[in-house]
Amino acid sequence: MTLRASIHDDDSRLETPGDELDLPPAILQALRDALRGIRFGAVELVIHDGRIVQLERREKVRLETEVGHRRR
């Protein structure tokens, strides 16, 4: 099943094709906050007994170096 999420402030639920998945507003807000501004990384939901119990955000920072300054 593919989940489609929108992170607009006026959304009240996470929608899946064919059915609705109601999530508490606090979880939706935490998910929006985790997704906002991330460019590289991952957001992971941890589920125990069918309930979301944890949200993890891992963000990668890409450091650009100039060609002439590479270390060997």
Side-chain angles (χ1 to χ4, degrees):
M1 170 170 59
T2 302
L3 295 177
R4 288 186 347 223
S6 178
I7 58 172
H8 300 291
D9 290 330
D10 59 344
D11 289 344
S12 61
R13 66 182 72 218
L14 182 67
E15 296 181 17
T16 61
D19 68 350
E20 294 181 357
L21 178 63
D22 290 324
L23 294 175
I27 291 177
L28 286 173
Q29 187 59 50
L31 186 54
R32 283 185 193 97
D33 292 344
L35 292 170
R36 192 168 282 123
I38 194 168
R39 293 196 55 213
F40 300 99
V43 174
E44 179 179 350
L45 295 175
V46 178
I47 300 169
H48 288 244
D49 231 4
R51 299 183 69 191
I52 297 171
V53 296
Q54 184 172 320
L55 183 145
E56 296 180 13
R57 175 181 165 156
R58 290 182 302 279
E59 188 168 1
K60 311 255 186 225
V61 177
R62 306 284 183 179
L63 303 175
E64 299 290 329
T65 60
E66 294 181 27
V67 176
H69 292 98
R70 286 189 181 174
R71 293 184 179 176
R72 294 179 189 226

